Amino acid sequence: MEPTTIREGYLVKKGTVLNTWKVVWVVLADDAIEFYKKKTDNSPKGMIPLKGATLASPCQDFTKRTLVFKVSAAKKQDHFFQATHLEERELWVKDVKRAITCLQGGKKFARKSTRRSIRLPENVNLSELYVLMKDQDTGVKELKLEKDKRLFNHCFTGNTVIDWLISEGKARNRTEGLMLASGLLNEGFLQPAGDVSKDGAEKGAECVFLDQTEALYYFADSGFFCEGYSSDEDVIMKEEFRGAIVKQGCLLKQGHRRKNWKVRKFILRDDPAYIHYYDPTKGENDPLGSIHLRGSVVTAVEYVPDAKKLEADGNFFEIITSDETHYYLQAATADERKDWIKAIQSVAKSGK
């Protein structure tokens, strides 16, 4: 019987020989993980048998990389994968864990119910805790705070997080709250904003989170941005980064000059309406480019001019900006293309 494909998509993978991080197309079957150099390749670049394998998430082997999970094969070879955002990593981790469990028990793969419990179990699930923290009505409130002549948007203080954990019964005291908050920070759910919280995160102590009013943090997938002088890059942060994140993920993008196709991470923001794209192997500090979406048109297309046949095929869509610049993108599936088109159209109409 042919293996059943459970999940597929782009992930960043650490090489086993050269130790470089590269984007690969990953296919999770019920008995193995296969990874390909390109989505269109017929033969995989490598394969990880899931029989006897283990999974670790979060993986904290790399201090400068978040959202990493590790799959260790039965032969004790470790494979490191990095997702582009939190939701993506959680979906991969859940399915890989379930596939391993089903394989060990001799059962057919089946996803568990995704219904969330309001009350956390005794063994705290940080993913569920993060969802509760982000609740607009009962969670931690995102504020606009001024520190050191800089204005931090969509952030909150360290002591506010600890106060919330105690008030909601997630922690019995501030020491326990610090342990939980440090776990959220280590796993990438929370991010440090400003020099005080960044210094605390880099010290490597048991509790890297700071229970202080001077320490600022933000949700990893929020619309955080900073206005004013930046001690990191000595630049004025651009207005285009202020919008809340609407959608993010990997797409293939055609280059304007060479017309070749490369995998890029895209982050769609509204108010103002921008979509930024990044090299997924290098993080989100320096976008490769941005597209101002106000007044733009986005449509599905079946043909792309100058597209090399073997590099990309199907699920194309086109963004035409108000100044008539054309961008050609490719989604992994027809449903993903539909979702991206719908999200971009909404932002283009409502954003400024």
Side-chain angles (χ1 to χ4, degrees):
M1 183 181 293
E2 288 292 320
T4 301
T5 297
I6 298 168
R7 179 173 297 280
E8 54 186 345
Y10 292 109
L11 291 172
V12 179
K13 184 180 184 299
K14 179 178 177 291
T16 55
V17 179
L18 298 178
N19 293 328
T20 54
W21 293 79
K22 292 185 178 181
V23 178
V24 293
W25 179 257
V26 183
V27 177
L28 169 64
D30 49 15
D31 63 349
I33 297 174
E34 295 181 338
F35 48 96
Y36 299 76
K37 184 177 180 181
K38 295 180 181 179
K39 181 176 181 288
T40 52
D41 288 350
N42 294 320
S43 300
K45 185 178 179 181
M47 189 266 287
I48 308 168
L50 292 180
K51 186 175 181 180
T54 58
L55 183 142
S57 178
C59 174
Q60 299 173 11
D61 293 26
F62 310 96
T63 56
K64 294 185 178 181
R65 286 187 180 271
T66 59
L67 307 177
V68 175
F69 62 93
K70 176 173 68 174
V71 179
S72 301
K75 294 183 179 180
K76 306 301 179 184
Q77 185 176 31
D78 295 333
H79 300 268
F80 299 92
F81 295 93
Q82 182 183 26
T84 57
H85 56 281
L86 286 169
E87 182 182 4
E88 181 181 60
R89 185 191 65 179
E90 294 305 295
L91 291 172
W92 274 99
V93 166
K94 283 185 179 180
D95 281 349
V96 173
K97 279 184 177 179
R98 189 65 180 156
I100 292 173
T101 301
C102 291
L103 194 62
Q104 290 173 344
K107 299 178 181 179
K108 186 177 180 180
F109 179 89
R111 289 190 175 95
K112 290 183 177 180
S113 171
T114 57
R115 180 178 294 177
R116 296 184 182 274
S117 171
I118 295 178
R119 294 294 300 175
L120 290 174
E122 185 176 353
N123 295 324
V124 176
N125 184 309
L126 293 179
S127 300
E128 294 182 2
L129 182 58
Y130 179 70
V131 172
L132 294 173
M133 290 182 71
K134 286 198 65 184
D135 187 280
Q136 292 186 352
D137 296 322
T138 61
V140 176
K141 303 303 180 185
E142 296 177 277
L143 304 171
K144 181 183 291 187
L145 300 171
E146 185 175 358
K147 297 286 183 182
D148 301 325
K149 298 182 180 180
R150 284 181 287 171
L151 192 62
F152 296 86
N153 297 264
H154 298 284
C155 69
F156 38 82
T157 64
N159 69 313
T160 298
V161 173
I162 307 303
D163 289 343
W164 182 88
L165 288 169
I166 295 174
S167 67
E168 293 294 317
K170 311 308 177 188
R172 291 171 294 182
N173 49 54
R174 303 196 81 81
T175 300
E176 191 171 288
L178 272 172
M179 296 299 292
L180 284 175
S182 294
L184 289 163
L185 188 65
N186 285 331
E187 194 165 344
F189 290 110
L190 301 181
Q191 296 290 324
D195 297 333
V196 174
S197 56
K198 288 180 180 178
D199 289 343
E202 293 171 358
K203 285 182 179 178
E206 183 180 7
C207 291
V208 293
F209 192 90
L210 301 179
D211 181 10
Q212 300 176 14
T213 57
E214 297 298 314
L216 305 183
Y217 300 90
Y218 63 94
F219 295 125
D221 51 359
S222 73
F224 169 79
F225 73 104
C226 173
E227 298 173 283
Y229 178 79
S230 169
S231 61
D232 293 329
E233 298 178 1
D234 297 338
V235 297
I236 300 297
M237 300 299 288
K238 293 182 179 179
E239 176 78 5
E240 63 195 54
F241 290 98
R242 65 175 289 182
I245 294 176
V246 175
K247 187 175 178 60
Q248 55 185 320
C250 282
L251 296 167
L252 272 173
K253 177 184 177 295
Q254 187 189 54
H256 276 93
R257 287 180 293 179
R258 298 176 61 186
K259 305 300 180 184
N260 56 338
W261 293 82
K262 290 188 177 181
V263 179
R264 299 300 183 210
K265 175 180 178 178
F266 285 81
I267 298 181
L268 175 64
R269 294 179 170 91
D270 66 359
D271 194 23
Y274 273 90
I275 188 167
H276 297 86
Y277 51 94
Y278 306 76
D279 181 340
T281 67
K282 297 181 179 179
E284 299 172 14
N285 291 328
D286 298 305
L288 299 173
S290 64
I291 305 171
H292 191 190
L293 296 173
R294 184 182 181 185
S296 66
V297 176
V298 55
T299 55
V301 294
E302 302 304 321
Y303 168 76
V304 174
D306 304 311
K308 295 181 180 179
K309 186 176 180 181
L310 296 179
E311 286 192 357
D313 185 22
N315 300 318
F316 298 115
F317 62 98
E318 177 184 17
I319 300 174
I320 305 175
T321 63
S322 58
D323 62 358
E324 298 188 0
T325 302
H326 294 243
Y327 295 87
Y328 293 101
L329 308 171
Q330 184 199 34
T333 65
D335 286 342
E336 185 179 66
R337 175 175 70 171
K338 183 179 178 181
D339 289 344
W340 272 104
I341 290 175
K342 184 178 179 180
I344 294 172
Q345 286 176 337
S346 177
V347 167
K349 290 178 181 178
S350 61
K352 62 182 180 180

